[in-house]
Amino acid sequence: MQVVVIGAGQAGLSAAHHLRRRGLAPEDDFVVLDANPGPGGAWRHRWPSLTFGGAHGIHDLPGLPLGVPDPAEPASAVVARYYGEYERRFGLPVHRPVAVRRVEGESGDGPLDVVTDAGTWRTELVINGTGTWDRPHWPYYPGRESFRGRQLHTHDFRSAEEFRGRHVVVVGGGTSAVQFLLQLAAAGATTTWTTRRPPRFTDREFDPDWGRDVERRVDERTRAGLPPASVVSATGLPLTPEYRAGIESGILVPAGPLRAVTPAGIRLTDDREVRADAILWATGFRPALDHLAPLGLREAGGGIRMDGVRVLRDPRVLLVGYGASASTLGATRAGRAAAREAVRLLSAAPDGKQRAAARVVTVST
């Protein structure tokens, strides 16, 4: 291959589409590697109660509008169907299930080896779009291992009905935490909400100007080589009518920061103790980039320093769906930018020799 795209989510599919539009031949010049058994990216794993109407905006992929799905249909089903149709419509060379174990190569501008459970692809460039779903973040608190009830992460949540008649502590200040609290209350559970900082509700309209402002702030961190901040730290929580009603009813009013976990529940920083049957950690995710570790891309600050989609430590690697492009809108634009950059790099081969195609691998882990 000349380009290997890793991951068939929004960013990877957008990159693959634009590679084809720019003249690279599927299978001969580039492939997409995806670890999932079917289309949909991380969306295929979302809990069934997350409907299309309740999900954050799912933006169109280039060349095929999503349309207007039933807002009551599970978002996982909508996106899996849409991505599957997109792959078929444009003849994208998605290989699945293929799990990428590591990407390695000598320093410099030589080829890279993408080592997977289905063999090794040698490529000139890698476009990485592995997202975050496979790296749930479990923050450490004293006593967490002593809790006698059930602990689960957003990654493992399936249905609020499982918790009917139980008391659930929800940890985290993001949109998932807010949605869980409302669903749990509607299902007959009682809840306690704990956040490190007071939740930042905003009535600002989430329009294109807002999206660009968020991307700019996130991009400042990645350009400095710092780990991307959480989405909610840049966006705030939209103050929808549903959320306003949750605040007025007391469901969306946090109890304060968490100090420790006890065998029977939690202890807050004001020393109040709360008994609980379950703790739901809605504490976010981290970029799934372990397979890139052999290339030594991280800076001293823990992040990967970027200029747009380019990794400054290794020009053979383009990151999409990372940092400022982690949203579905940003991921679509980043896919286009990565394809454009890949073709530029391939055409600027040493000694003026233009390479026939770029090797791109898309992998989701």
Side-chain angles (χ1 to χ4, degrees):
M1 293 296 104
Q2 290 185 331
V3 182
V4 170
V5 180
I6 303 178
Q10 190 97 7
L13 293 180
S14 173
H17 170 82
H18 285 290
L19 286 170
R20 182 164 189 177
R21 283 194 63 192
R22 290 174 178 272
L24 275 68
E27 300 294 358
D28 291 334
D29 296 334
F30 76 97
V31 295
V32 178
L33 307 181
D34 188 67
N36 289 299
W43 286 97
R44 65 182 287 113
H45 304 293
R46 302 297 170 90
W47 50 100
S49 59
L50 178 62
T51 63
F52 178 78
H56 272 186
I58 300 170
H59 293 274
D60 292 345
L61 283 161
L64 182 65
L66 173 60
V68 186
D70 179 355
E73 185 177 5
S76 56
V78 172
V79 177
R81 184 171 63 247
Y82 177 48
Y83 285 9
E85 173 59 23
Y86 193 83
E87 293 172 13
R88 290 187 294 272
R89 178 77 63 91
F90 295 105
L92 301 181
V94 181
H95 292 242
R96 62 166 59 95
V98 176
V100 173
R101 303 304 188 199
R102 62 187 182 277
V103 179
E104 56 192 17
E106 298 295 329
S107 59
D109 61 356
L112 295 169
D113 287 334
V114 180
V115 182
T116 80
D117 61 355
T120 297
W121 276 261
R122 176 154 288 187
T123 182
E124 300 295 330
L125 301 172
V126 163
I127 296 178
N128 189 85
T130 46
T132 63
W133 184 254
D134 291 317
R135 283 205 62 197
H137 175 57
W138 295 77
Y140 174 74
Y141 283 91
R144 199 183 75 185
E145 67 284 351
S146 71
F147 182 60
R148 292 192 294 262
R150 179 182 176 189
Q151 297 189 64
L152 70 161
H153 191 275
T154 300
H155 182 276
D156 310 303
F157 182 85
R158 290 296 174 267
S159 171
E161 296 294 332
E162 300 176 39
F163 302 95
R164 180 182 298 276
R166 300 181 179 182
H167 190 78
V168 182
V169 170
V170 178
V171 185
T175 304
S176 294
V178 170
Q179 292 179 348
F180 291 149
L181 287 158
L182 294 174
Q183 290 182 32
L184 288 163
T190 57
T191 60
T192 295
W193 186 20
T194 174
T195 62
R196 286 187 299 166
R197 293 177 292 273
R200 188 165 61 87
F201 288 99
T202 176
D203 55 8
R204 177 177 177 178
E205 184 180 356
F206 283 18
D207 55 18
D209 287 338
W210 164 84
R212 284 188 285 270
D213 182 47
V214 169
E215 289 186 16
R216 176 187 57 77
R217 282 183 278 161
V218 176
D219 187 54
E220 289 173 356
R221 290 183 61 86
T222 55
R223 284 180 179 272
L226 298 172
S230 66
V231 173
V232 74
S233 69
T235 66
L237 293 163
L239 199 52
T240 65
E242 182 185 23
Y243 291 1
R244 288 182 188 273
I247 294 171
E248 292 170 2
S249 68
I251 297 169
L252 299 185
V253 177
L258 175 64
R259 170 175 290 170
V261 179
T262 68
I266 64 167
R267 182 180 300 114
L268 299 169
T269 54
D270 61 6
D271 282 336
R272 282 182 296 156
E273 294 202 5
V274 178
R275 294 183 62 84
D277 300 297
I279 301 175
L280 173 51
W281 298 89
T283 46
F285 297 80
R286 298 292 185 265
L289 300 176
D290 289 353
H291 56 288
L292 298 179
L295 299 178
L297 305 181
R298 292 194 181 275
E299 303 290 334
I304 297 176
R305 196 154 62 98
M306 306 283 297
D307 180 8
V309 296
R310 294 189 299 119
V311 175
L312 295 185
R313 279 184 176 259
D314 195 325
R316 299 169 297 180
V317 180
L318 304 170
L319 285 188
V320 293
Y322 174 83
S325 63
S327 68
T328 57
L329 175 60
T332 299
R333 291 203 296 260
R336 180 180 65 233
R340 182 171 61 243
E341 179 66 8
V343 170
R344 186 190 72 80
L345 290 170
L346 291 165
S347 64
D351 303 322
K353 185 194 300 183
Q354 182 171 354
R355 298 173 186 176
R359 299 178 181 177
V360 178
V361 175
T362 303
V363 177
S364 83
T365 55

PDB file of all heavy atoms in Angstrom, residues 138-147 151 257-269 273 279 281:
ATOM      1  N   TRP A 138     -10.768   5.680  33.723  1.00  0.00           N
ATOM      2  CA  TRP A 138     -11.213   5.385  35.077  1.00  0.00           C
ATOM      3  C   TRP A 138     -10.313   6.161  36.039  1.00  0.00           C
ATOM      4  O   TRP A 138      -9.209   5.726  36.349  1.00  0.00           O
ATOM      5  CB  TRP A 138     -11.103   3.891  35.380  1.00  0.00           C
ATOM      6  CG  TRP A 138     -11.994   2.995  34.578  1.00  0.00           C
ATOM      7  CD1 TRP A 138     -11.818   2.614  33.284  1.00  0.00           C
ATOM      8  CD2 TRP A 138     -13.178   2.336  35.034  1.00  0.00           C
ATOM      9  NE1 TRP A 138     -12.818   1.759  32.895  1.00  0.00           N
ATOM     10  CE2 TRP A 138     -13.669   1.572  33.951  1.00  0.00           C
ATOM     11  CE3 TRP A 138     -13.866   2.319  36.257  1.00  0.00           C
ATOM     12  CZ2 TRP A 138     -14.820   0.797  34.055  1.00  0.00           C
ATOM     13  CZ3 TRP A 138     -15.009   1.555  36.358  1.00  0.00           C
ATOM     14  CH2 TRP A 138     -15.490   0.811  35.272  1.00  0.00           C
ATOM     15  N   PRO A 139     -10.740   7.307  36.532  1.00  0.00           N
ATOM     16  CA  PRO A 139      -9.882   8.070  37.447  1.00  0.00           C
ATOM     17  C   PRO A 139      -9.718   7.331  38.771  1.00  0.00           C
ATOM     18  O   PRO A 139     -10.611   6.600  39.210  1.00  0.00           O
ATOM     19  CB  PRO A 139     -10.650   9.382  37.641  1.00  0.00           C
ATOM     20  CG  PRO A 139     -12.074   9.016  37.394  1.00  0.00           C
ATOM     21  CD  PRO A 139     -12.046   7.958  36.320  1.00  0.00           C
ATOM     22  N   TYR A 140      -8.581   7.525  39.387  1.00  0.00           N
ATOM     23  CA  TYR A 140      -8.331   6.849  40.665  1.00  0.00           C
ATOM     24  C   TYR A 140      -8.854   7.694  41.820  1.00  0.00           C
ATOM     25  O   TYR A 140      -8.606   8.896  41.896  1.00  0.00           O
ATOM     26  CB  TYR A 140      -6.840   6.586  40.879  1.00  0.00           C
ATOM     27  CG  TYR A 140      -6.580   6.013  42.254  1.00  0.00           C
ATOM     28  CD1 TYR A 140      -6.907   4.678  42.538  1.00  0.00           C
ATOM     29  CD2 TYR A 140      -6.103   6.818  43.284  1.00  0.00           C
ATOM     30  CE1 TYR A 140      -6.722   4.163  43.807  1.00  0.00           C
ATOM     31  CE2 TYR A 140      -5.915   6.302  44.557  1.00  0.00           C
ATOM     32  CZ  TYR A 140      -6.226   4.978  44.809  1.00  0.00           C
ATOM     33  OH  TYR A 140      -6.067   4.461  46.068  1.00  0.00           O
ATOM     34  N   TYR A 141      -9.574   7.052  42.717  1.00  0.00           N
ATOM     35  CA  TYR A 141      -9.962   7.639  43.994  1.00  0.00           C
ATOM     36  C   TYR A 141      -9.681   6.609  45.082  1.00  0.00           C
ATOM     37  O   TYR A 141      -9.861   5.407  44.855  1.00  0.00           O
ATOM     38  CB  TYR A 141     -11.452   8.009  44.012  1.00  0.00           C
ATOM     39  CG  TYR A 141     -11.764   9.273  43.252  1.00  0.00           C
ATOM     40  CD1 TYR A 141     -12.107   9.225  41.900  1.00  0.00           C
ATOM     41  CD2 TYR A 141     -11.708  10.508  43.882  1.00  0.00           C
ATOM     42  CE1 TYR A 141     -12.389  10.378  41.195  1.00  0.00           C
ATOM     43  CE2 TYR A 141     -11.988  11.680  43.177  1.00  0.00           C
ATOM     44  CZ  TYR A 141     -12.330  11.612  41.842  1.00  0.00           C
ATOM     45  OH  TYR A 141     -12.596  12.757  41.144  1.00  0.00           O
ATOM     46  N   PRO A 142      -9.238   7.053  46.241  1.00  0.00           N
ATOM     47  CA  PRO A 142      -8.978   6.101  47.337  1.00  0.00           C
ATOM     48  C   PRO A 142     -10.212   5.246  47.632  1.00  0.00           C
ATOM     49  O   PRO A 142     -11.328   5.756  47.681  1.00  0.00           O
ATOM     50  CB  PRO A 142      -8.641   7.015  48.523  1.00  0.00           C
ATOM     51  CG  PRO A 142      -8.177   8.285  47.908  1.00  0.00           C
ATOM     52  CD  PRO A 142      -8.954   8.446  46.636  1.00  0.00           C
ATOM     53  N   GLY A 143      -9.974   3.948  47.811  1.00  0.00           N
ATOM     54  CA  GLY A 143     -11.044   3.042  48.183  1.00  0.00           C
ATOM     55  C   GLY A 143     -11.864   2.496  47.029  1.00  0.00           C
ATOM     56  O   GLY A 143     -12.795   1.713  47.255  1.00  0.00           O
ATOM     57  N   ARG A 144     -11.529   2.888  45.802  1.00  0.00           N
ATOM     58  CA  ARG A 144     -12.361   2.445  44.671  1.00  0.00           C
ATOM     59  C   ARG A 144     -12.461   0.933  44.588  1.00  0.00           C
ATOM     60  O   ARG A 144     -13.510   0.381  44.251  1.00  0.00           O
ATOM     61  CB  ARG A 144     -11.800   3.002  43.357  1.00  0.00           C
ATOM     62  CG  ARG A 144     -12.802   2.984  42.224  1.00  0.00           C
ATOM     63  CD  ARG A 144     -12.192   3.471  40.931  1.00  0.00           C
ATOM     64  NE  ARG A 144     -11.329   2.458  40.350  1.00  0.00           N
ATOM     65  CZ  ARG A 144     -10.582   2.632  39.274  1.00  0.00           C
ATOM     66  NH1 ARG A 144     -10.550   3.808  38.686  1.00  0.00           N
ATOM     67  NH2 ARG A 144      -9.830   1.664  38.812  1.00  0.00           N
ATOM     68  N   GLU A 145     -11.372   0.244  44.926  1.00  0.00           N
ATOM     69  CA  GLU A 145     -11.368  -1.219  44.828  1.00  0.00           C
ATOM     70  C   GLU A 145     -12.162  -1.870  45.967  1.00  0.00           C
ATOM     71  O   GLU A 145     -12.453  -3.077  45.909  1.00  0.00           O
ATOM     72  CB  GLU A 145      -9.927  -1.736  44.839  1.00  0.00           C
ATOM     73  CG  GLU A 145      -9.177  -1.525  46.156  1.00  0.00           C
ATOM     74  CD  GLU A 145      -8.718  -0.102  46.395  1.00  0.00           C
ATOM     75  OE1 GLU A 145      -8.819   0.718  45.450  1.00  0.00           O
ATOM     76  OE2 GLU A 145      -8.268   0.185  47.513  1.00  0.00           O
ATOM     77  N   SER A 146     -12.556  -1.096  46.984  1.00  0.00           N
ATOM     78  CA  SER A 146     -13.264  -1.679  48.127  1.00  0.00           C
ATOM     79  C   SER A 146     -14.782  -1.699  47.964  1.00  0.00           C
ATOM     80  O   SER A 146     -15.479  -2.343  48.756  1.00  0.00           O
ATOM     81  CB  SER A 146     -12.917  -0.900  49.404  1.00  0.00           C
ATOM     82  OG  SER A 146     -13.518   0.396  49.382  1.00  0.00           O
ATOM     83  N   PHE A 147     -15.309  -0.997  46.989  1.00  0.00           N
ATOM     84  CA  PHE A 147     -16.756  -0.862  46.837  1.00  0.00           C
ATOM     85  C   PHE A 147     -17.408  -2.219  46.586  1.00  0.00           C
ATOM     86  O   PHE A 147     -16.982  -2.980  45.720  1.00  0.00           O
ATOM     87  CB  PHE A 147     -17.065   0.096  45.683  1.00  0.00           C
ATOM     88  CG  PHE A 147     -18.523   0.351  45.468  1.00  0.00           C
ATOM     89  CD1 PHE A 147     -19.301   0.900  46.471  1.00  0.00           C
ATOM     90  CD2 PHE A 147     -19.119   0.024  44.259  1.00  0.00           C
ATOM     91  CE1 PHE A 147     -20.661   1.139  46.263  1.00  0.00           C
ATOM     92  CE2 PHE A 147     -20.469   0.260  44.033  1.00  0.00           C
ATOM     93  CZ  PHE A 147     -21.242   0.825  45.041  1.00  0.00           C
ATOM     94  N   GLN A 151     -19.706  -1.368  39.700  1.00  0.00           N
ATOM     95  CA  GLN A 151     -19.080  -0.222  39.061  1.00  0.00           C
ATOM     96  C   GLN A 151     -19.064  -0.448  37.549  1.00  0.00           C
ATOM     97  O   GLN A 151     -18.725  -1.537  37.082  1.00  0.00           O
ATOM     98  CB  GLN A 151     -17.650  -0.018  39.558  1.00  0.00           C
ATOM     99  CG  GLN A 151     -17.541   0.303  41.044  1.00  0.00           C
ATOM    100  CD  GLN A 151     -16.133   0.719  41.431  1.00  0.00           C
ATOM    101  OE1 GLN A 151     -15.636   1.740  40.967  1.00  0.00           O
ATOM    102  NE2 GLN A 151     -15.494  -0.069  42.291  1.00  0.00           N
ATOM    103  N   PRO A 257     -17.834  17.618  44.937  1.00  0.00           N
ATOM    104  CA  PRO A 257     -16.745  16.757  44.482  1.00  0.00           C
ATOM    105  C   PRO A 257     -16.623  15.470  45.296  1.00  0.00           C
ATOM    106  O   PRO A 257     -16.951  15.434  46.486  1.00  0.00           O
ATOM    107  CB  PRO A 257     -15.498  17.638  44.652  1.00  0.00           C
ATOM    108  CG  PRO A 257     -16.013  19.033  44.778  1.00  0.00           C
ATOM    109  CD  PRO A 257     -17.342  18.913  45.437  1.00  0.00           C
ATOM    110  N   LEU A 258     -16.108  14.458  44.649  1.00  0.00           N
ATOM    111  CA  LEU A 258     -15.879  13.157  45.276  1.00  0.00           C
ATOM    112  C   LEU A 258     -14.501  13.143  45.949  1.00  0.00           C
ATOM    113  O   LEU A 258     -13.517  13.586  45.357  1.00  0.00           O
ATOM    114  CB  LEU A 258     -15.945  12.075  44.198  1.00  0.00           C
ATOM    115  CG  LEU A 258     -15.621  10.635  44.575  1.00  0.00           C
ATOM    116  CD1 LEU A 258     -16.633  10.097  45.574  1.00  0.00           C
ATOM    117  CD2 LEU A 258     -15.592   9.762  43.309  1.00  0.00           C
ATOM    118  N   ARG A 259     -14.452  12.632  47.197  1.00  0.00           N
ATOM    119  CA  ARG A 259     -13.168  12.495  47.882  1.00  0.00           C
ATOM    120  C   ARG A 259     -12.673  11.059  47.842  1.00  0.00           C
ATOM    121  O   ARG A 259     -11.491  10.814  47.605  1.00  0.00           O
ATOM    122  CB  ARG A 259     -13.278  12.959  49.330  1.00  0.00           C
ATOM    123  CG  ARG A 259     -12.040  12.625  50.172  1.00  0.00           C
ATOM    124  CD  ARG A 259     -12.128  13.214  51.562  1.00  0.00           C
ATOM    125  NE  ARG A 259     -12.000  14.671  51.510  1.00  0.00           N
ATOM    126  CZ  ARG A 259     -12.225  15.461  52.555  1.00  0.00           C
ATOM    127  NH1 ARG A 259     -12.618  14.960  53.704  1.00  0.00           N
ATOM    128  NH2 ARG A 259     -12.070  16.765  52.431  1.00  0.00           N
ATOM    129  N   ALA A 260     -13.564  10.096  48.102  1.00  0.00           N
ATOM    130  CA  ALA A 260     -13.146   8.695  48.193  1.00  0.00           C
ATOM    131  C   ALA A 260     -14.347   7.794  47.969  1.00  0.00           C
ATOM    132  O   ALA A 260     -15.508   8.223  48.071  1.00  0.00           O
ATOM    133  CB  ALA A 260     -12.516   8.404  49.560  1.00  0.00           C
ATOM    134  N   VAL A 261     -14.030   6.548  47.656  1.00  0.00           N
ATOM    135  CA  VAL A 261     -15.049   5.508  47.540  1.00  0.00           C
ATOM    136  C   VAL A 261     -14.969   4.654  48.803  1.00  0.00           C
ATOM    137  O   VAL A 261     -13.872   4.341  49.282  1.00  0.00           O
ATOM    138  CB  VAL A 261     -14.825   4.650  46.280  1.00  0.00           C
ATOM    139  CG1 VAL A 261     -15.874   3.547  46.186  1.00  0.00           C
ATOM    140  CG2 VAL A 261     -14.854   5.532  45.027  1.00  0.00           C
ATOM    141  N   THR A 262     -16.125   4.290  49.342  1.00  0.00           N
ATOM    142  CA  THR A 262     -16.179   3.446  50.531  1.00  0.00           C
ATOM    143  C   THR A 262     -16.788   2.105  50.161  1.00  0.00           C
ATOM    144  O   THR A 262     -17.349   1.952  49.070  1.00  0.00           O
ATOM    145  CB  THR A 262     -17.034   4.109  51.620  1.00  0.00           C
ATOM    146  OG1 THR A 262     -18.413   4.129  51.192  1.00  0.00           O
ATOM    147  CG2 THR A 262     -16.567   5.535  51.904  1.00  0.00           C
ATOM    148  N   PRO A 263     -16.704   1.107  51.015  1.00  0.00           N
ATOM    149  CA  PRO A 263     -17.330  -0.188  50.694  1.00  0.00           C
ATOM    150  C   PRO A 263     -18.819  -0.074  50.412  1.00  0.00           C
ATOM    151  O   PRO A 263     -19.370  -0.839  49.615  1.00  0.00           O
ATOM    152  CB  PRO A 263     -17.056  -1.016  51.949  1.00  0.00           C
ATOM    153  CG  PRO A 263     -15.780  -0.449  52.491  1.00  0.00           C
ATOM    154  CD  PRO A 263     -15.881   1.032  52.244  1.00  0.00           C
ATOM    155  N   ALA A 264     -19.487   0.901  51.054  1.00  0.00           N
ATOM    156  CA  ALA A 264     -20.936   1.022  50.897  1.00  0.00           C
ATOM    157  C   ALA A 264     -21.361   2.140  49.963  1.00  0.00           C
ATOM    158  O   ALA A 264     -22.547   2.293  49.675  1.00  0.00           O
ATOM    159  CB  ALA A 264     -21.583   1.245  52.266  1.00  0.00           C
ATOM    160  N   GLY A 265     -20.436   2.959  49.468  1.00  0.00           N
ATOM    161  CA  GLY A 265     -20.814   4.078  48.610  1.00  0.00           C
ATOM    162  C   GLY A 265     -19.666   5.025  48.371  1.00  0.00           C
ATOM    163  O   GLY A 265     -18.565   4.623  47.994  1.00  0.00           O
ATOM    164  N   ILE A 266     -19.894   6.324  48.648  1.00  0.00           N
ATOM    165  CA  ILE A 266     -18.860   7.326  48.407  1.00  0.00           C
ATOM    166  C   ILE A 266     -18.803   8.307  49.582  1.00  0.00           C
ATOM    167  O   ILE A 266     -19.755   8.432  50.361  1.00  0.00           O
ATOM    168  CB  ILE A 266     -19.110   8.114  47.113  1.00  0.00           C
ATOM    169  CG1 ILE A 266     -20.421   8.922  47.216  1.00  0.00           C
ATOM    170  CG2 ILE A 266     -19.099   7.204  45.898  1.00  0.00           C
ATOM    171  CD1 ILE A 266     -20.581   9.968  46.131  1.00  0.00           C
ATOM    172  N   ARG A 267     -17.677   9.032  49.663  1.00  0.00           N
ATOM    173  CA  ARG A 267     -17.529  10.136  50.602  1.00  0.00           C
ATOM    174  C   ARG A 267     -17.205  11.385  49.795  1.00  0.00           C
ATOM    175  O   ARG A 267     -16.297  11.378  48.958  1.00  0.00           O
ATOM    176  CB  ARG A 267     -16.432   9.857  51.625  1.00  0.00           C
ATOM    177  CG  ARG A 267     -16.268  10.986  52.671  1.00  0.00           C
ATOM    178  CD  ARG A 267     -15.166  10.670  53.686  1.00  0.00           C
ATOM    179  NE  ARG A 267     -15.464   9.441  54.403  1.00  0.00           N
ATOM    180  CZ  ARG A 267     -14.746   8.320  54.310  1.00  0.00           C
ATOM    181  NH1 ARG A 267     -13.675   8.285  53.506  1.00  0.00           N
ATOM    182  NH2 ARG A 267     -15.072   7.249  55.003  1.00  0.00           N
ATOM    183  N   LEU A 268     -17.956  12.461  50.051  1.00  0.00           N
ATOM    184  CA  LEU A 268     -17.746  13.713  49.353  1.00  0.00           C
ATOM    185  C   LEU A 268     -16.695  14.550  50.079  1.00  0.00           C
ATOM    186  O   LEU A 268     -16.305  14.235  51.206  1.00  0.00           O
ATOM    187  CB  LEU A 268     -19.065  14.475  49.248  1.00  0.00           C
ATOM    188  CG  LEU A 268     -20.170  13.740  48.475  1.00  0.00           C
ATOM    189  CD1 LEU A 268     -21.510  14.443  48.658  1.00  0.00           C
ATOM    190  CD2 LEU A 268     -19.819  13.619  47.000  1.00  0.00           C
ATOM    191  N   THR A 269     -16.253  15.626  49.464  1.00  0.00           N
ATOM    192  CA  THR A 269     -15.198  16.435  50.067  1.00  0.00           C
ATOM    193  C   THR A 269     -15.663  17.162  51.329  1.00  0.00           C
ATOM    194  O   THR A 269     -14.831  17.623  52.111  1.00  0.00           O
ATOM    195  CB  THR A 269     -14.653  17.458  49.062  1.00  0.00           C
ATOM    196  OG1 THR A 269     -15.736  18.230  48.536  1.00  0.00           O
ATOM    197  CG2 THR A 269     -13.913  16.771  47.925  1.00  0.00           C
ATOM    198  N   GLU A 273     -21.330  11.165  53.558  1.00  0.00           N
ATOM    199  CA  GLU A 273     -21.247   9.843  52.951  1.00  0.00           C
ATOM    200  C   GLU A 273     -22.583   9.506  52.296  1.00  0.00           C
ATOM    201  O   GLU A 273     -23.651   9.836  52.834  1.00  0.00           O
ATOM    202  CB  GLU A 273     -20.866   8.796  53.992  1.00  0.00           C
ATOM    203  CG  GLU A 273     -19.469   9.010  54.534  1.00  0.00           C
ATOM    204  CD  GLU A 273     -18.873   7.744  55.139  1.00  0.00           C
ATOM    205  OE1 GLU A 273     -19.517   6.676  55.039  1.00  0.00           O
ATOM    206  OE2 GLU A 273     -17.764   7.840  55.707  1.00  0.00           O
ATOM    207  N   ILE A 279     -21.973   2.577  41.051  1.00  0.00           N
ATOM    208  CA  ILE A 279     -21.270   3.808  40.685  1.00  0.00           C
ATOM    209  C   ILE A 279     -21.070   3.769  39.174  1.00  0.00           C
ATOM    210  O   ILE A 279     -20.475   2.828  38.639  1.00  0.00           O
ATOM    211  CB  ILE A 279     -19.910   3.940  41.391  1.00  0.00           C
ATOM    212  CG1 ILE A 279     -20.096   3.925  42.913  1.00  0.00           C
ATOM    213  CG2 ILE A 279     -19.205   5.218  40.951  1.00  0.00           C
ATOM    214  CD1 ILE A 279     -18.781   3.922  43.678  1.00  0.00           C
ATOM    215  N   TRP A 281     -19.267   5.560  36.212  1.00  0.00           N
ATOM    216  CA  TRP A 281     -18.172   6.482  35.922  1.00  0.00           C
ATOM    217  C   TRP A 281     -18.345   7.050  34.509  1.00  0.00           C
ATOM    218  O   TRP A 281     -17.957   6.417  33.523  1.00  0.00           O
ATOM    219  CB  TRP A 281     -16.833   5.764  36.048  1.00  0.00           C
ATOM    220  CG  TRP A 281     -16.558   5.248  37.436  1.00  0.00           C
ATOM    221  CD1 TRP A 281     -16.915   4.032  37.946  1.00  0.00           C
ATOM    222  CD2 TRP A 281     -15.878   5.939  38.487  1.00  0.00           C
ATOM    223  NE1 TRP A 281     -16.500   3.918  39.254  1.00  0.00           N
ATOM    224  CE2 TRP A 281     -15.864   5.071  39.613  1.00  0.00           C
ATOM    225  CE3 TRP A 281     -15.280   7.194  38.590  1.00  0.00           C
ATOM    226  CZ2 TRP A 281     -15.274   5.433  40.817  1.00  0.00           C
ATOM    227  CZ3 TRP A 281     -14.694   7.560  39.793  1.00  0.00           C
ATOM    228  CH2 TRP A 281     -14.691   6.684  40.893  1.00  0.00           C
TER     229      TRP A 281
END
